[in-house]
């Protein structure tokens, strides 16, 4: 279900949209189709090209629309404007180059926020004067609204571009059809404005508007980017039935056939549109926009579903649109310029082709639409409002009407009969409703009466003078009433700020029913209401006697948190009022003042909420710590589970309100982190698995309260490292000893009273049993990877990520842990060296029997079974590699130990191979001596002393 603020925004947006485009239509005569195209374009986020000879107010029309759609945040239009010429280059449209990046890296980077992508709307004047290469470079900007450069894609705010050209579209496409067809295909709406007027009297009306009296009437109706956001979201909700999709496909086929037939029948005919697949798909979005447009201007209660009759609006998308058939006939009868006549003939031929295709379209049967919860487009924003007759609301002309014939717009793409106001003499009592409203002083009645007077004031004749006088009188009454209410509010004369704000809001709501000038006054009044509402929280949350009395009493944790919750609820109610006022529309200056007051009020309120939350959390933590029985960390956190959960909810609510700080940082972390540090400071490690389980249980409790990230990974590592070192200092005797114990404080230390294990296979087993299997660095790395925030690792490996996290520990503590791991590995290397020295045998081998005995001793010692088969060497290598990666400062020491172990392994291998070869050589020499009978074994030269290849490492 939409929120109250959403509904208020949508209703106000529809009302302002209707008033805005009615005003544009009244200011530009005989521009019905083009103005309607502009309205559909901003609803569907599509582009418009307006073509026509010079002096036809194309730029003025574009400026009257895009130049007056303001951003509520800045009060200025979000508009990029550029006139294209042959000298216009890519950087003029995309944005200037970042020369710093270019000089430092050689890469091309644009400041896209200063180009077309940095604005919501764009006006490109004389677009076809730009070079072909420039137009090609803008294709992606227009269609995908993004800039692609290699592997980098930059997306912007850009939505709608209005382009103009003094050239005739038919001639442009004839001159370079293949080049420009892709460009024109990115444009959803093509409009043509002729040189003259179909009705010569219209020129007089234009002159009266532009130069008569005090000059052209100002365009005053407000419309904002945020209004369009609300309406565009409504467009996206429109349902398109499958039968409509089938009908659309058939209509496109029929239209293509008719255009091809027209081309064959008239060699001078050049189709201005290319019915591509992109065009077909885009037609669906245009149909959705036409549905919302129809709901705003004709049928407020229609469902948000495309109907078969909406397909007629596609004429504005699929063809070059412009004057109506009747107007084209009149223009062709008087036009002498052959180029103008040809363009008008093409426009008429395309219109006739569409009408024939539409007439051939089979009946489309759409099942009854079941609207969602939101249902039909809410009434009240446009159409028949404030007592206007239904006939007038449903009467004809699209959006184009000059000052002498202002009427309600018709359906998109239609041209119904006009009913000029000035041609009907007003009844003698036509001004009576306004005069009665003035006497009563009711703002709603005055605003409604003024809206009905505006058409008379814009007409000609005697009625115009009286109507203008009545409009000015009504405006003065409304301005006086607005000033009275706002002055009373600022002087504090009313009973309460809330009552004054409510009165201002009601007054603004009444003014919304008036004409454009009155609606501008409504935004001013509503702005003051917003300032008053936004200023309330600061005073409401100053400590009062009742509040202080409550804080002075002893209250439990939940009572404090409930007080904080009530304070936030009151603040959220004010935030809802603010959202509704902003959605309805306020002046930008008032919005800035209100936002500043609101930020100050939220900051004051947050101080109170934070104090209450801190008192509640510390109360709960104190109660948990005061229990006499010994309790683990997870048990302590379980006691705080309910309080932490409520604090997590309050945190989300304060963030949504725009609090200046976080409850996590100001309340939870200062309390929970010391509690965790205190508890982990007493943990005695018996196994790293048990320690990890305790860490995981603590994190699960914190995650359940959405507070898992309040403890930095560096703190978890610091606590774990201290526990590891405590266990190591304790000596850790026995199998199940503490993680990391046994390295000792120096060579051979850590064995304690048990002494050094004997240098044999069983001795190695005993050495390993005095410590856990994992070194300290491994335990810390595992804790680091488990406790690092989600997404903080980036693309690096686990070991590199763990090393970076270990670097956040205090330097002295990190060095102590690394030294302990280094001593641990050095003890293993030293033990293996002792073991090998005991079994490698004597240096001098004189006979085969001695070689056999030495080899037998190595085999029976099971040294190689331990070193290679059981993986003592490979495990030690891995520990050294991990130590070097996790603690870069110890990389050189780890490398020295790796070199010693590598030399030991290589020397032992060479010694064994040497003994095998020596035994074989001695045996072979003895066999030869026996065979010759000489008994001289020395006839065969031996290989010398086997000890020379031992590679013994002392």
């Amino acid at each position: 279900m939409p929120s109250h603020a959403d509904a208020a925004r949508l209703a106000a947006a529809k009302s302002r949209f209707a008033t805005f485009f009615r005003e544009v239509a009244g200011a530009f005569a005989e521009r019905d189709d083009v103005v309607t195209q502009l309205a559909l374009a901003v609803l569907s986020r599509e582009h418009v090209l307006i073509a026509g000879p010079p002096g036809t107010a194309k730029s003025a029309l574009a400026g009257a629309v895009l130049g007056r759609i303001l951003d509520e945040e800045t009060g200025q239009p979000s508009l990029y404007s550029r006139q294209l010429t042959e000298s216009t280059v890519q950087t003029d449209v995309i944005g200037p180059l970042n020369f710093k990046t270019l000089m430092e890296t050689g890469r091309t980077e644009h400041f896209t926020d200063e180009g077309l992508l940095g604005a919501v709307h764009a006006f490109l004047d004389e677009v076809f004067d730009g070079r072909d290469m420039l137009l090609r470079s803008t294709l992606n900007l227009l269609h995908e609204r993004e800039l692609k450069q290699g592997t980098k894609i930059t997306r912007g705010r850009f939505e709608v571009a209005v382009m103009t050209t003094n050239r005739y579209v038919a001639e442009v496409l004839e001159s370079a059809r293949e080049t420009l067809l892709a460009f024109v295909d990115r444009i959803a709406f093509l409009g043509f404005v002729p040189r003259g007027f179909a009705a010569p009297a219209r020129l007089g009306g234009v002159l009266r508007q532009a130069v008569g009296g005090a000059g052209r009437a100002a365009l005053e109706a407000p419309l904002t980017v945020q209004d369009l956001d609300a309406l565009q979201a409504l467009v996206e909700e429109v349902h398109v039935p499958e039968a409509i999709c089938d009908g659309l496909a058939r209509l496109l086929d029929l239209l293509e056939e008719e255009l091809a037939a027209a081309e064959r029948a008239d060699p001078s005919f050049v189709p201005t549109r290319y019915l591509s697949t992109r065009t077909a798909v885009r037609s669906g979005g245009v149909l959705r926009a036409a549905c919302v447009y129809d709901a705003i201007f004709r049928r407020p209660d229609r469902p948000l579903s495309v109907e078969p009759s909406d397909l007629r609006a596609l004429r504005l998308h699929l063809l070059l649109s412009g004057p109506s058939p009747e107007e084209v006939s009149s223009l062709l009868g008087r036009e002498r310029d052959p180029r103008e006549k040809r363009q008008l003939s093409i426009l008429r031929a395309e219109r006739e082709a569409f009408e024939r295709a539409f007439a051939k379209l089979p009946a489309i049967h759409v099942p009854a639409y079941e609207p969602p919860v939101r249902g039909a487009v809410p009434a009240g924003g446009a159409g028949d409002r404030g007592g206007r007759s239904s006939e007038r609301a449903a009467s004809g002309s699209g959006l184009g009407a000059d000052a002498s014939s202002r009427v309600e717009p018709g359906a998109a793409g239609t041209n119904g009969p006009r009913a000029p106001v000035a041609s009907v003499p007003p009844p003698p009592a036509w001004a009576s409703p306004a005069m009665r409203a003035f006497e009563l002083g009711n703002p709603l009645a005055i605003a409604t009466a003024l809206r009905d007077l505006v058409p008379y004031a814009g007409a000609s004749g005697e009625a115009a003078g009286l109507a203008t006088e009545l409009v000015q009188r009504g405006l003065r009454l409304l301005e006086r009433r607005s000033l009275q209410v706002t002055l009373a509010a600022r002087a504090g004369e009313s009973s309460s700020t809330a009552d004054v704000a409510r009165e201002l809001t009601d007054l603004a709501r009444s003014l919304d029913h008036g004409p454009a000038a009155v609606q501008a006054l409504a935004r001013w009044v509503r702005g003051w209401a917003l300032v008053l509402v936004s200023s309330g929280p600061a005073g409401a949350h100053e400590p009062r006697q009742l509040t202080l009395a409550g804080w002075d009493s002893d209250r439990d944790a939940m009572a404090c948190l409930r007080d904080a919750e009530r304070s936030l609820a009151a603040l959220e109610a004010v935030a809802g009022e603010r959202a509704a006022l902003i959605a309805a529309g306020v002046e930008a200056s008032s919005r800035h003042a209100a936002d500043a007051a609101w930020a100050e009020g939220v900051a004051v309120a947050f101080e109170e909420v934070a104090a209450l939350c801190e008192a509640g959390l510390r109360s709960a933590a104190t109660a948990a710590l005061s229990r006499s029985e010994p309790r683990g960390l997870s048990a302590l956190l379980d006691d705080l589970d309910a309080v932490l959960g409520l604090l997590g909810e309050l945190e989300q609510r304060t963030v949504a309100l725009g609090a200046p700080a976080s409850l996590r940082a100001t309340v939870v972390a200062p309390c929970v982190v010391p509690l965790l540090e205190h508890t982990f400071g007493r943990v005695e490690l018996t196994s790293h698995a048990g320690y990890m389980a305790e860490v995981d249980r603590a994190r699960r409790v914190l995650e359940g309260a959405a507070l898992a990230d309040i403890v930095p990974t560096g703190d978890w590592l610091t606590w774990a490292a201290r526990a590891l070192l405590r266990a190591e200092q304790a000596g850790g005797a026995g199998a199940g000893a503490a993680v990391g114990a046994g390295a000792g404080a120096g060579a051979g230390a850590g064995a304690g009273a048990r002494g050094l294990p004997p240098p044999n296979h069983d001795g190695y087993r005993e050495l390993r049993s005095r410590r856990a299997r994992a070194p300290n660095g491994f335990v810390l790395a595992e804790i680091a990877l488990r406790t690092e925030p989600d997404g903080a690792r980036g693309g690096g490996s686990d070991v590199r990520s763990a090393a970076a996290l270990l670097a956040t520990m205090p330097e002295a503590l990190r060095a102590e842990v690394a030294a302990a791991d280094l001593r641990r590995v050095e003890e293993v290397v030293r033990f293996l060296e002792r073991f090998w020295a005991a079994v490698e045998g004597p240096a001098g081998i004189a006979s085969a029997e001695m070689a056999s005995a030495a080899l037998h001793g190595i085999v029976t010692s099971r040294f190689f079974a331990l070193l290679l088969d059981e993986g003592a060497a490979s495990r030690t290598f891995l520990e050294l590699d991990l130590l070097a990666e996790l603690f870069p400062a110890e990389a050189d020491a780890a490398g020295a130990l790796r070199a010693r172990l590598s030399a030991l392994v290589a020397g032992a291998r060479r010694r064994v191979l040497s003994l095998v070869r020596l035994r074989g050589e001695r045996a072979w020499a003895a066999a030869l001596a026996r065979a010759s009978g000489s008994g001289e074994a020395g006839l065969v030269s031996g290989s010398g002393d086997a000890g020379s290849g031992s590679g013994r490492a002392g």
Side-chain angles (χ1 to χ4, degrees), residues 20 28 57-69 79 123 162 219:
F20 181 89
F28 293 90
K58 300 184 296 296
S59 299
L61 180 55
V65 176
L66 298 186
R68 296 194 305 119
I69 300 176
L79 179 62
F123 173 50
V162 175
L219 295 173

Side-chain angles (χ1 to χ4, degrees), residues 442-460:
N442 181 279
L444 175 60
I446 294 175
T448 303
L450 290 185
R451 189 186 63 184
D452 289 333
L453 287 173
V454 167
Y456 294 96
S460 58

Side-chain angles (χ1 to χ4, degrees), residues 903 905-915 917 946 949-952:
V905 174
R909 178 179 57 80
R910 289 196 302 270
R911 173 64 169 172
V912 169
L913 293 176
S914 175
L915 289 174
R917 287 195 300 268
S950 68
R952 183 182 306 174

Side-chain angles (χ1 to χ4, degrees), residues 567-600:
S567 182
L568 281 181
L571 204 61
E572 288 166 341
V574 178
E577 295 179 30
R578 272 177 46 85
L581 288 168
I582 293 171
V586 298
E587 276 193 345
S589 59
S590 299
R591 171 72 183 275
H592 297 326
D595 287 348
W598 173 250
E600 180 182 355

Side-chain angles (χ1 to χ4, degrees), residues 448-540:
T448 303
L450 290 185
R451 189 186 63 184
D452 289 333
L453 287 173
V454 167
Y456 294 96
S460 58
E462 296 179 0
L466 178 58
T468 300
E469 181 182 348
L470 291 174
V471 168
Q472 293 174 351
R473 179 183 171 189
L475 280 173
R476 286 195 298 271
L477 288 173
L478 291 175
E479 289 174 355
R480 187 179 304 117
R481 176 59 180 158
S482 301
L483 286 171
Q484 287 172 347
V485 176
T486 51
L487 287 174
R490 298 180 68 181
E493 296 179 1
S494 300
S495 57
S496 70
T497 301
D499 292 339
V500 176
R502 193 175 302 110
E503 185 176 357
L504 287 172
T505 303
D506 292 340
L507 174 60
R509 191 177 297 114
S510 300
L511 299 178
D512 280 332
H513 291 263
V518 177
Q519 289 182 7
L521 182 61
R523 294 172 67 87
W524 181 80
V525 172
R526 196 178 291 111
W528 273 112
L530 181 66
V531 171
L532 290 175
V533 167
S534 302
S535 303

Side-chain angles (χ1 to χ4, degrees), residues 51 146 150 174 354 399 403 544 579 779 881:
E146 62 188 23
E174 261 185 336
F354 181 86
L399 285 174
R544 290 179 167 80
V779 178
D881 291 342

